[in-house]
Amino acid sequence: MTLPILIGSEIYRGSTYGPKHPLAIPRVSTTLDLVRAMGWVAPGQYRDSPRATPEALTRFHHRDYIAALMQAEATQQVDPGHRERFRIGADGNPVYREVFSRPATGAGGVTLAARLTRDGGVVHVPGGGTHHGRPDRASGFCYLNDAVLGLLEWLDLGLDRILYLDIDAHHGDGVEDAFADDPRVLTVSVHEAGRWPHTGRVEDQAGGHARNLPVPPGFNDSEMDFLRAHVILPLIRHWKPQAIMLQCGADAIEEDPLSKLSLSNNAHRAMVASLRGLAPRLIVLGGGGYNPWSVARCWAGIWATLNDLPIPPRIPEAAEAVLRGLSFSRAAGRNPPEHWFTTIADAPRPGPVREEVRALAPATLRVLPEPSGAREAAAMLRP
């Protein structure tokens, strides 16, 4: 059996959106350091992410927008017209040192993951997951939409039944909108109700090609287990995807400052474990996450799950040193609890499964999309 592949890059080390931005924190570099310190990367498992070319990015993004991003990186400024039109340097999307190179590296990594899984396989790309990016503008800290570009690569390789699942605290609006008219891609998003970008209501189904599960504040492990068992897995078994892409944002974890959800990272690992074997191709992306300890511990744990590696109750000294080397300017970083340094797996966060969560099951599964293969077979049988 082929081992999972981990795709990363040194571009993330020291790269920051600015000292006061939520993405001032190291995430991908800490994840990579942590899995290496755990001894979890075998020879041949790691690939350095290529940088997507401007031409490759125009598979989804507008050419003039890509040119504006490249100009912003070269000059470290943006003219007022570009700011207004492309939202570069606006709405929490700052001009920073690698404003083109970093997202282009994420896009190159996810596109490479799609090519590597052409004939099957599992790839983890923690630098991917920028699910808000629009064809012609930056949105929600996302300048490019690497998930869309990876899904398009799968489609270009001939796949025609793909599932995109998003468990970030924020609705995966950019991906849903990109494939709203494409019956080959079914998008499913579990996200906090009422949170930015204020889309993804349960009744919003993008013409039948999307399912949205907006969940209430305090959403706990038991409630995610319920949705996984009673909505997500039945939907996947019905759809029978040839490939699954999971956006595994860590901002739904309780300690994250940008959401009010209450998951432990056990919920993320349980989702990953459940998806394995449900399709011959699986790509797991990163995404949101704004507490450096909770992000790195979550994504490192996901890599362990993909490799069937046990997570020890206390991590070795080398891994502990990685976590003790982090700092965090928000209030939670002033006095971090000891387990943020010494463990990878959180304590479980069970709780009641509220009626508003239970109600998502019938609302989501009432009318199911027909798998594309079934549609084609039915068309062939028609006189």
Side-chain angles (χ1 to χ4, degrees), residues 308-319:
D308 293 319
L309 296 169
I311 298 175
R314 179 163 184 140
I315 60 177
E317 286 186 12

Side-chain angles (χ1 to χ4, degrees), residues 46-69:
Y46 178 79
R47 301 288 181 92
D48 200 53
S49 176
R51 184 182 302 171
T53 65
E55 189 64 32
L57 295 171
T58 61
R59 179 69 176 86
F60 176 63
H61 292 283
H62 293 191
R63 194 174 299 274
D64 52 353
Y65 171 55
I66 297 302
L69 267 182

Side-chain angles (χ1 to χ4, degrees), residues 151-199:
L151 293 165
L152 288 171
E153 183 72 18
W154 265 342
L155 292 174
D156 290 346
L157 291 171
L159 304 186
D160 61 6
R161 199 166 62 255
I162 299 170
L163 182 104
Y164 171 80
L165 173 61
D166 192 316
I167 61 172
D168 194 285
H170 302 81
H171 176 230
D173 58 338
V175 184
E176 177 181 308
D177 291 349
F179 295 101
D181 298 319
D182 194 330
R184 299 173 296 175
V185 179
L186 178 64
T187 64
V188 181
S189 179
V190 182
H191 50 270
E192 185 178 345
R195 183 156 298 278
W196 189 93
H198 308 293
T199 52

Side-chain angles (χ1 to χ4, degrees), residues 282-306:
L282 173 63
I283 294 174
V284 182
L285 310 179
Y290 307 96
N291 174 322
W293 288 283
S294 58
V295 176
R297 292 165 65 247
C298 179
W299 293 349
I302 285 167
W303 176 245
T305 299
L306 291 172

Side-chain angles (χ1 to χ4, degrees), residues 81-312:
H82 283 178
R83 182 183 292 110
E84 179 64 27
R85 181 181 174 192
F86 301 124
R87 310 314 292 166
I88 303 169
D91 309 330
N93 309 305
V95 175
Y96 67 101
R97 189 178 59 198
E98 307 90 357
V99 68
F100 170 76
S101 300
R102 175 169 158 172
T105 299
V110 181
T111 305
L112 173 61
R115 291 197 297 269
L116 289 173
T117 55
R118 175 175 185 160
D119 299 316
V122 175
V123 182
H124 185 26
V125 195
T130 53
H131 57 168
H132 299 304
R134 297 294 178 160
D136 58 349
R137 61 183 168 87
S139 179
F141 313 161
C142 303
Y143 299 85
L144 302 173
N145 200 313
D146 52 64
V148 168
L149 290 160
L151 293 165
L152 288 171
E153 183 72 18
W154 265 342
L155 292 174
D156 290 346
L157 291 171
L159 304 186
D160 61 6
R161 199 166 62 255
I162 299 170
L163 182 104
Y164 171 80
L165 173 61
D166 192 316
I167 61 172
D168 194 285
H170 302 81
H171 176 230
D173 58 338
V175 184
E176 177 181 308
D177 291 349
F179 295 101
D181 298 319
D182 194 330
R184 299 173 296 175
V185 179
L186 178 64
T187 64
V188 181
S189 179
V190 182
H191 50 270
E192 185 178 345
R195 183 156 298 278
W196 189 93
H198 308 293
T199 52
R201 300 174 302 167
V202 69
E203 60 267 29
D204 296 337
Q205 297 191 349
H209 309 310
R211 293 294 184 274
N212 284 300
L213 290 81
V215 299
F219 182 63
N220 60 54
D221 286 0
S222 302
E223 291 175 319
M224 180 63 99
D225 286 345
F226 176 87
L227 292 184
R228 181 167 52 87
H230 296 281
V231 180
I232 294 168
L233 294 182
L235 188 57
I236 292 173
R237 292 185 180 112
H238 169 82
W239 181 246
K240 298 180 176 64
Q242 300 158 323
I244 296 173
M245 182 179 289
L246 172 65
Q247 199 271 20
C248 216
D251 48 3
I253 292 173
E254 186 172 70
E255 294 90 355
D256 195 274
L258 264 60
S259 85
K260 294 182 179 178
L261 305 182
S262 298
L263 296 178
S264 74
N265 60 28
N266 298 285
H268 292 67
R269 293 198 310 280
M271 185 67 73
V272 169
S274 294
L275 297 183
R276 294 182 63 198
L278 294 181
R281 303 162 185 87
L282 173 63
I283 294 174
V284 182
L285 310 179
Y290 307 96
N291 174 322
W293 288 283
S294 58
V295 176
R297 292 165 65 247
C298 179
W299 293 349
I302 285 167
W303 176 245
T305 299
L306 291 172
N307 286 275
D308 293 319
L309 296 169
I311 298 175

